[in-house]
């Protein structure tokens, strides 16, 4: 079987495994929906006030998308790697031609399909419930795909270096929550102390948020990077980080138990 055939077979198996878990399917799509309802429809933004949500609704679109682009790969990949390891599945896979990189690529394709559907749902609900005026830029597609690749790699590392499935889920929450709120998604850089800015720049999610905002929100004041349009420059930085995270994630997956 060719490499493409192996990846397609593993992708098909991963997709069927996901849709058979009805609880996982429900909460994958329910979590971002409930977040939009609470933050976007109940609390709402207040451009004239102070504190959180003082920007126009369109400013927070990257944050809502980040809920699925960040959390779904972290939790799904972390628990999937831990589950395979606990079930001695990597030991069995080591006897097949499927490499660790191909296995991770197949899982990434499954996550990309799930998150792509969830992103469409989120964008529709944000526009409908919050009245956000956004531009449906074609750049949204590569941003979501590259973001999924990046955080699938991070999720694979979490699953590899934690000792159980519960530990992987706990680690993904512990890492995901700070990244979600401290990467220029829901909280702007001006609301954080100046000494914290270098730490914000270390987060891959920051480049996702800056780039998506520059591509979708006409009022965004995202700075250029070395004179390059921020929508393209941040995508390039995120792509470099995604390649690095994917390579490290594939390398961290155990060959045997």
């Amino acid at each position: 079987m060719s490499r493409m055939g192996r990846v397609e077979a593993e992708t098909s198996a991963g997709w069927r495994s996901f849709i058979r878990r009805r609880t996982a399917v429900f909460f994958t799509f329910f979590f971002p929906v409930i977040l939009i309802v609470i933050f976007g429809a109940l609390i709402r933004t207040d451009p004239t006030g102070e504190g959180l949500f003082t920007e126009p609704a369109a400013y927070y679109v990257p944050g809502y998308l980040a809920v699925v682009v960040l959390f779904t790969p972290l939790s799904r990949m972390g628990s999937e790697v831990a589950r395979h390891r606990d079930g001695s599945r990597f030991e069995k896979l080591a006897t097949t031609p499927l490499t660790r990189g191909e296995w991770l690529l197949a899982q990434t394709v499954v996550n990309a399909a799930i998150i792509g559907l969830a992103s469409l749902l989120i964008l529709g609900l944000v526009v409908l419930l919050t009245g956000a005026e956004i531009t449906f830029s074609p750049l949204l597609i590569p941003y979501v795909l590259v973001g999924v690749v990046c955080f699938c790699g991070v999720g694979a590392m979490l699953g590899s270096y934690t000792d159980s499935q519960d530990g992987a889920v706990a680690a993904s929450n512990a890492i995901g929550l700070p990244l979600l709120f401290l990467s220029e998604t829901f909280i702007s850089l001006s609301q954080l102390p100046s000494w914290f800015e270098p730490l914000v720049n270390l987060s891959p999610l920051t480049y996702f948020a800056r780039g998506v905002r520059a591509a979708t929100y006409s009022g965004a004041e995202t700075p250029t990077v070395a004179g390059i349009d921020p929508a393209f420059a941040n995508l390039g930085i995120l792509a470099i980080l995604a390649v690095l995270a994917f390579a490290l994630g594939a390398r961290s997956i155990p060959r045997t138990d």
Side-chain angles (χ1 to χ4, degrees):
M1 182 181 286
S2 66
R3 174 174 296 178
M4 184 63 71
R6 295 194 297 270
V7 173
E8 286 180 358
E10 183 63 25
T11 301
S12 177
W15 176 257
R16 288 198 299 272
S17 174
F18 170 71
I19 60 176
R20 285 173 182 169
R21 300 177 200 159
R22 295 181 180 178
T23 304
V25 174
F26 176 77
F27 282 103
T28 296
F29 293 94
F30 178 73
F31 180 53
V33 169
I34 199 67
L35 202 67
I36 293 171
V37 170
I38 292 174
F39 287 171
L42 297 180
I43 298 177
R44 299 189 177 183
T45 61
D46 180 13
T48 61
E50 296 181 348
L52 293 175
F53 298 101
T54 57
E55 301 287 345
Y59 179 90
Y60 300 102
V61 168
Y64 294 125
L65 287 176
V67 173
V68 288
V69 170
L70 171 68
F71 270 104
T72 302
L74 287 187
S75 61
R76 288 199 76 248
M77 285 308 308
S79 60
E80 196 71 14
V81 170
R83 193 163 63 88
H84 271 61
R85 186 187 56 220
D86 294 344
S88 301
R89 297 185 185 182
F90 286 123
E91 197 167 53
K92 297 171 184 174
L93 286 176
T95 64
T96 72
L98 189 73
T99 66
R100 292 178 293 180
E102 291 168 357
W103 183 85
L104 181 56
L105 176 59
Q107 299 298 324
T108 302
V109 172
V110 173
N111 277 276
I114 296 168
I115 294 165
L117 293 173
S119 297
L120 288 174
L121 175 65
I122 288 171
L123 287 174
L125 285 176
V126 167
V127 172
L128 182 66
L129 296 180
T130 70
E133 297 179 357
I134 63 173
T135 301
F136 288 91
S137 169
L139 284 175
L140 279 171
I141 297 174
Y143 264 109
V144 170
L145 293 178
V146 174
V148 171
V149 172
C150 181
F151 294 112
C152 277
V154 177
M157 285 187 272
L158 290 179
S160 300
Y161 297 125
T162 49
D163 60 0
S164 67
Q165 195 170 344
D166 290 340
V169 173
S172 67
N173 290 334
I175 293 175
L177 274 175
L179 285 182
L180 178 62
F181 288 98
L182 300 176
S183 301
E184 289 196 57
T185 49
F186 293 104
I187 300 174
S188 66
L189 205 57
S190 61
Q191 293 174 291
L192 297 171
S194 58
W195 59 265
F196 198 79
E197 183 176 346
L199 297 178
V200 172
N201 291 330
L202 292 177
S203 168
L205 195 63
T206 297
Y207 303 102
F208 174 85
R210 288 174 179 170
V212 170
R213 186 170 292 123
T216 60
Y217 176 36
S218 59
E221 298 178 353
T222 310
T224 59
V225 180
I228 303 174
D229 187 309
F232 293 98
N234 284 287
L235 180 60
I237 297 172
L238 183 63
I240 294 171
L241 295 175
V243 171
L244 180 63
F246 186 90
L248 292 175
R251 185 179 177 81
S252 69
I253 294 173
R255 288 180 183 276
T256 65
D257 304 301

